[in-house]
Amino acid sequence: MSAFHVRRRRVAVVWRTLAAIALTVFFLFPIYWLFMISFKTAEEIFAFPPRWWPSRLQFDNYAVLFKDGDATTVWNSLVIASASTVLAMVLGTLCAYSLARFRTGGEHLSNWIISQRMVPPIAVVFPIFLIYVLFGWVDTYLGLILLYTAFNLPYVIWMMRGYILDIPISLEEAARVDGCTRWQVLWKVVFPMARAGLFATAILTFVFAWNEFLFALVLTRTEVTTYTVQVTHYFGGQSGFWAKISAMSVLGTLPIFVVVAFMQRYLVRGISLGAVKG
Amino acid sequence: MGRQIGRLSELLEVRVGSAGSLVAPRARPRERGFRLALVAPSIGVLLLFGVFPLVYLIVVSVQNITMTDVDQSFQGLLNYRLLAGDPRFWGALLHTAIFTAVALPLELVLGLAMAELFIKHVPGRTVFVALLVLPVVVSPIVAGTTWSLMFDNRFGPINQVLGWLAGGPVAILWTIRPDLVYGAILVAEVWQWTPFMFLLLLAALSGVDKSQLEAAAIDGAGYWRTFRTIVLPAIWPVMVVAILIRALDLVRLFDVVWALTKGGPGTMTETLSIFTYVKGFQQFETSYTAAMALLVIVLLSVAVFAALKRVELAR
């Protein structure tokens, strides 16, 4: 390759790097801004012109949330998201195994299940609310856990069906020949083999439940308010609530960032409903 | 609904190859019990939360229950007639269509451009990609909230930067001015979901056969020609799924708009989901809301059906 070509390629790399940096700034700045507000004092938040960073990191805005008990909404989110994830994973994986290996219900059942994922939440939340009023399930852990389980089940079934189909069937047949019962095959062959899939699906299911807003808005009042709803409680009041808005948002967002950092490689398959094999 | 969903599952299943079946020619009764026992709890939950509300909606929508009156007598299509004559409903439908029609192509094109950038050699690529996906996992309500802080007329950084460019203080009311509010919401929406498109398309692009690209380059094919004849067919299956997922999300758009404008000013940015929420949970027009919710489900099914049909024709 001539010196000219090498030079041109180097220049192209420089341009691409600059473009990548510009994009990263655009996509990260809002997140940076949100995080920074949570560390600012009231004077810094409402300074004109705006301050681009706090003079020092101080955690008063968080302390207020813990003192007022608002921070317990993160705990509520954790309880609801965890419990519904466990439930959806257990029920969904068993169902997925049956669909994948025995073609239970044929194509129709699989199709019906994935179609449940497409129903807009606003359309179902209304009748569910009326039923919950009847049962006394509004503003209870049970109500939201069951709803998120139902909401995430089609996703879990769909994803796990894909992962289970990837496991060579000969392994299961061999285990059967060796005298394993059906359940033992599940425990000793299928689950261990599908471990990565189970892990990835569970994490994304958790993220969906953790970030959900509309169901929580309709079905919580004061007892089991999730952090997403709590953030909106500060809306419309005095702008003095900015500190709370940002600190609350960070408390809810940081755990997800940590989780995602560890599961980067599963993310693509998860969010593409399995269309991209990550 | 069944058939078009069948097509969707075909699309989603680009990768799932042949898989064997454990079904013996004639399953013993105990085996059948095992299979059904695995499925039953899930189906039960889905029926309870999927089908029951649907039936409930159908029943309530032909009654006339409002906040003040519980009239459970059969009213025929009264609510559907009211709905058809309600400009606010048509407005909500229009706004939803606008958001979808603008945001979806923007996210797709920007995401594809970013994927094209990162498919080539960029130093520190994995770090960049890891950072760029963060908006996708932020809760949409938090994303909307963040942008409302960004757009604040006095203390927000956007007006500040514009002020530098304009050489004087700028105090634009982004979420209040009718001519700007759509732009503001779309920025937030596109900001959050372009990385989603980017991530999927980057994965799809990395699956394109390199030898074909090299052959095309040797034959002197230009960028667009190569893209149309080699790259696009290769990434098409993933692209269709990405578009479908985003389209379905946009049709039920709620969180970002709720955080930024709550449908305002007036009802200017009210989407179908927001209008349904207001009618059902703030004005308690029970039967009216049921009719609307049902209509949304029907419209969505028709839209998905039409989209999948087109996809099938295009293949």
Side-chain angles (χ1 to χ4, degrees):
Chain A
M1 211 179 285
S2 70
F4 172 73
H5 274 106
V6 172
R7 220 181 108 89
R8 242 183 78 172
R9 271 178 76 160
R10 282 215 190 112
V11 172
V13 169
V14 170
W15 277 115
R16 280 202 292 272
T17 311
L18 288 177
I21 291 170
L23 283 168
T24 310
V25 168
F26 172 74
F27 281 104
L28 288 196
F29 183 78
I31 296 172
Y32 165 82
W33 190 252
L34 177 75
F35 276 59
M36 281 309 119
I37 287 181
S38 75
F39 297 123
K40 289 177 181 174
T41 62
E43 295 83 63
E44 285 171 327
I45 294 173
F46 300 109
F48 185 83
R51 299 277 168 77
W52 297 93
W53 49 80
S55 53
R56 63 187 185 86
L57 287 185
Q58 51 93 22
F59 296 88
D60 291 359
N61 300 330
Y62 293 94
V64 169
L65 291 184
F66 282 96
K67 208 182 83 210
D68 295 352
D70 293 4
T72 53
T73 57
V74 177
W75 170 252
N76 292 338
S77 286
L78 185 68
V79 170
I80 292 165
S82 311
S84 67
T85 299
V86 170
L87 254 176
M89 286 306 295
V90 172
L91 300 184
T93 306
L94 294 178
C95 180
Y97 179 77
S98 188
L99 294 186
R101 284 294 184 246
F102 307 120
R103 309 233 167 92
T104 310
E107 283 300 300
H108 291 300
L109 188 60
S110 300
N111 293 337
W112 177 73
I113 287 170
I114 189 73
S115 79
Q116 290 302 301
R117 179 83 187 168
M118 299 177 194
V119 177
I122 189 71
V124 290
V125 73
F126 185 62
I128 285 172
F129 171 74
L130 298 177
I131 295 159
Y132 273 25
V133 170
L134 212 67
F135 291 176
W137 283 0
V138 175
D139 207 19
T140 62
Y141 281 138
L142 178 71
L144 269 189
I145 289 169
L146 282 181
L147 183 55
Y148 285 158
T149 303
F151 178 70
N152 275 322
L153 255 181
Y155 177 76
V156 173
I157 295 171
W158 188 257
M159 292 302 295
M160 287 317 300
R161 180 171 161 266
Y163 282 112
I164 291 170
L165 283 170
D166 286 349
I167 302 173
I169 198 159
S170 50
L171 287 172
E172 287 172 52
E173 281 162 353
R176 290 283 283 158
V177 170
D178 289 347
C180 283
T181 66
R182 287 285 188 202
W183 288 105
Q184 282 173 327
V185 170
L186 271 178
W187 274 113
K188 292 182 176 165
V189 180
V190 178
F191 291 160
M193 288 292 292
R195 203 169 44 210
L198 284 167
F199 183 65
T201 308
I203 284 180
L204 275 164
T205 304
F206 181 85
V207 172
F208 289 137
W210 181 267
N211 282 345
E212 206 283 333
F213 172 64
L214 183 58
F215 288 143
L217 175 68
V218 171
L219 297 173
T220 65
R221 292 290 172 267
T222 51
E223 297 305 308
V224 299
T225 315
T226 63
Y227 89 91
T228 51
V229 175
Q230 186 62 34
V231 168
T232 65
H233 279 177
Y234 307 125
F235 285 7
Q238 297 158 338
S239 25
F241 288 136
W242 275 27
K244 285 186 176 180
I245 288 181
S246 62
M248 199 70 235
S249 299
V250 171
L251 282 183
T253 306
L254 211 53
I256 293 294
F257 282 176
V258 173
V259 163
V260 168
F262 286 108
M263 53 153 295
Q264 192 73 39
R265 64 199 186 96
Y266 303 119
L267 195 66
V268 186
R269 182 165 177 167
I271 62 174
S272 68
L273 286 177
V276 180
K277 203 171 174 177
Chain B
M1 194 89 183
R3 250 181 63 210
Q4 86 260 27
I5 298 303
R7 295 201 188 105
L8 175 68
S9 61
E10 275 166 36
L11 288 172
L12 284 171
E13 220 147 315
V14 236
R15 39 168 213 89
V16 176
S18 61
S21 166
L22 280 182
V23 188
R26 261 189 306 152
R28 281 164 297 163
R30 256 194 70 202
E31 300 280 280
R32 246 187 93 203
F34 175 75
R35 286 190 235 165
L36 294 178
L38 294 181
V39 183
S42 292
I43 304 294
V45 172
L46 286 177
L47 281 176
L48 199 67
F49 284 87
V51 175
F52 187 49
L54 207 65
V55 174
Y56 196 94
L57 283 179
I58 295 172
V59 172
V60 172
S61 75
V62 294
Q63 298 172 342
N64 191 16
I65 302 171
T66 60
M67 178 156 63
T68 49
D69 186 18
V70 183
D71 178 3
Q72 294 194 320
S73 64
F74 180 72
Q75 297 288 331
L77 298 178
L78 170 73
N79 289 299
Y80 296 93
R81 271 206 304 280
L82 289 175
L83 203 56
D86 187 347
R88 202 168 157 188
F89 167 71
W90 291 107
L93 195 63
L94 178 70
H95 304 151
T96 308
I98 293 174
F99 282 126
T100 310
V102 179
L104 191 56
L106 266 179
E107 288 164 12
L108 181 66
V109 170
L110 290 175
L112 188 60
M114 283 167 69
E116 284 278 358
L117 174 71
F118 279 96
I119 196 73
K120 303 202 184 91
H121 172 68
V122 178
R125 193 178 114 165
T126 35
V127 177
F128 278 122
V129 174
L131 290 174
L132 283 171
V133 301
L134 289 181
V136 178
V137 293
V138 172
S139 171
I141 192 74
V142 171
T145 308
T146 304
W147 278 96
S148 77
L149 301 174
M150 294 280 293
F151 278 123
D152 188 81
N153 65 317
R154 195 166 156 76
F155 307 112
I158 291 176
N159 278 348
Q160 177 64 19
V161 171
L162 289 177
W164 291 343
L165 298 176
V170 170
I172 300 171
L173 297 163
W174 287 97
T175 54
I176 293 168
R177 268 176 57 174
D179 55 333
L180 295 175
V181 66
Y182 269 83
I185 293 171
L186 283 165
V187 166
E189 181 63 25
V190 168
W191 171 82
Q192 180 159 37
W193 296 109
T194 297
F196 170 86
M197 286 287 188
F198 159 64
L199 207 56
L200 264 59
L201 293 174
L202 183 65
L205 278 179
S206 59
V208 177
D209 188 354
K210 292 236 168 30
S211 60
Q212 281 190 24
L213 293 178
E214 279 158 17
I218 289 166
D219 289 347
Y223 175 79
W224 286 111
R225 207 181 142 81
T226 313
F227 183 79
R228 261 212 341 268
T229 54
I230 299 172
V231 178
L232 195 58
I235 64 173
W236 182 242
V238 172
M239 210 157 122
V240 169
V241 174
I243 291 171
L244 258 171
I245 293 174
R246 284 305 303 141
L248 286 166
D249 281 349
L250 277 161
V251 168
R252 53 195 181 201
L253 184 62
F254 184 90
D255 300 22
V256 170
V257 183
W258 191 253
L260 278 168
T261 68
K262 294 208 169 174
T267 58
M268 246 199 86
T269 56
E270 202 167 65
T271 61
L272 277 175
S273 288
I274 290 187
F275 183 46
T276 312
Y277 178 81
V278 170
K279 274 286 173 195
F281 297 102
Q282 291 182 348
Q283 303 180 354
F284 301 103
E285 299 274 352
T286 305
S287 285
Y288 188 88
T289 310
M292 184 154 54
L294 209 59
L295 203 63
V296 169
I297 294 179
V298 171
L299 281 177
L300 204 62
S301 307
V302 172
V304 170
F305 180 78
L308 288 171
K309 202 155 188 184
R310 287 204 57 168
V311 167
E312 187 152 272
L313 288 177
R315 277 218 280 192

